[in-house]
Structures are given as structure tokens and as C-alpha cells.
Amino acid sequence: AQSVAQPEDQVNVAEGNPLTVKCTYSVSGNPYLFWYVQYPNRGLQFLLKYITGDNLVKGSYGFEAEFNKSQTSFHLKKPSALVSDSALYFCAVRAFSGGGADGLTFGKGTHLIIQP
Amino acid sequence: ETGVTQTPRHLVMGMTNKKSLKCEQHLGHNAMYWYKQSAKKPLELMFVYSLEERVENNSVPSRFSPECPNSSHLFLHLHTLQPEDSALYLCASSQEPELAGAGPSTDTQYFGPGTRLTVL
């Protein structure tokens, strides 16, 4: 069975500084990895995904993530944080069930707080 | 907006009530999903529908009953719920390969805003 770990419940960063939100995964076979963001009282918004190819994936709102197979990690990064980036971030992995559609397994989420 | 709508946005029900949650996707996708987000647990997959057929049921209690009448609509029928069922219920959709077993799904799932359910 696949699993995702987000080791930090909360990450605090000053506005303008770089940010990193950590994610490690466990899956048999090739990993298909996703990052989503959730603002208060909203659903999940897709940020980016890694399927294959370049280990550095670029996504929405200036976010990027680096896939590291040897460390089984997929950390989310942004060079310069904005106060509006404050939200709950989820890392997820997709499994292969053979049924034509597969659900996502999520980490517990990391609260990102950007301080002005 | 993601093109996935959910109604109602908020629902309060007693343990003996019967209610339904509705999800509609305007993206032309062929797969739909129900997830549960509660305060004490990570997001949990409940049901998966591919081409209007249920392909996965993650050991969800029978008091939750899904229905997918067509590729654009997904319902979650609720009856005799428990207070611990209070949560945010999220619907998602994606465009998937049509052949089962053709390979792992790589397509992005797009989520609706959710229904906040409170069971008294």
C-alpha cells in the first residue's frame, strides 16, 4: 500500500524568504505525485504534479517541486513567499488499482504561515 | 473555480434523517470521486466511479450510498449517520484512460468546494 508523510504540521516563513514544505512517499512501482493547496472553507486546488521527466516540476503561483527518487521525496518550494501563500498544503500519491481510475492517498497536510 | 460544483455547501442533519449530497462536473471528465476530510484524519478516499461504474469502495460503511447516474453527476446518499461522520465531503473528477488496466492513472483530479456536514 502507498503512503505519504508530511513531517511538519506547520511551517512559518517571513514574507520574501524562500519556503519549503516537505513530503516523502512510499509506493510500489513508479510514483505519481501531486501537490494541492486548500484555503479556508474551500476545496483543494491543484498546484503541480510529477509523472515522469525532469525532476524539477513547475506549477501554479510560482511554486515548484523537486522529485528525488533516492530519498523518496517530493518537496514543495517557492523562491520568495507571499502572505497570500498562507494556506494548508497537501502532498498526494496516486496508486494503480487496474480499475481505470485511481484515488489519491494524501498526507496529513502542512499549514504554511507567511509572516509579513 | 475548478468546474466542479457541490450542493449543498452546508448541511446539518439528525442521526435519523436521510439526505443526499450532489456533485456536478462541467469538465467532460469520465471519472468521479468522493473523499472525506475530517479534523482528526487525513483526507480519505471513499468511492471511485469510472465510466459511471463503481471501481473502488474503500470499506465505507453502508450508511453512505453513492450513485452515479451519468458521467457528469455524482450523489452521496446519507442515512442513519453518526456524529463522527461530521466532516467536509469533497467531490473530484478527472479524465482517465477508458480501458481498465491500461496503466496507472496520471491525470489530475479537480476538486469541488465541498459540503460541510454536521450530524447532531
Side-chain angles (χ1 to χ4, degrees), chain A residues 1-6 23-28 31-33 72-74 91-95 104-108, chain B residues 42:
Chain A
Q2 64 278 353
S3 65
V4 175
Q6 293 180 244
C23 171
T24 59
Y25 65 90
S26 174
V27 62
S28 56
Y32 300 96
L33 298 158
T72 62
S73 67
F74 189 56
C91 182
V93 65
R94 197 145 194 204
L104 291 166
T105 297
F106 285 89
K108 63 181 180 179

Side-chain angles (χ1 to χ4, degrees), chain A residues 2-61:
Chain A
Q2 64 278 353
S3 65
V4 175
Q6 293 180 244
E8 302 152 318
D9 289 337
Q10 184 170 303
V11 171
N12 295 283
V13 178
E15 186 178 24
N17 284 0
L19 69 87
T20 299
V21 182
K22 295 180 180 178
C23 171
T24 59
Y25 65 90
S26 174
V27 62
S28 56
N30 293 324
Y32 300 96
L33 298 158
F34 300 78
W35 275 102
Y36 286 86
V37 60
Q38 186 177 34
Y39 295 97
N41 301 314
R42 303 284 294 275
L44 273 65
Q45 295 181 30
F46 169 71
L47 281 178
L48 51 81
K49 66 180 179 183
Y50 172 82
I51 304 300
T52 186
D54 287 341
N55 290 341
L56 186 63
V57 179
K58 294 188 183 298
S60 305
Y61 311 118

Side-chain angles (χ1 to χ4, degrees), chain A residues 36 38 49 94 98 102 104, chain B residues 33 35 37 96 105 107 109:
Chain A
Y36 286 86
Q38 186 177 34
K49 66 180 179 183
R94 197 145 194 204
D102 309 299
L104 291 166
Chain B
Y33 312 79
Y35 288 86
Q37 185 179 22
E96 301 300 332
S105 304
D107 294 283
Q109 292 182 20

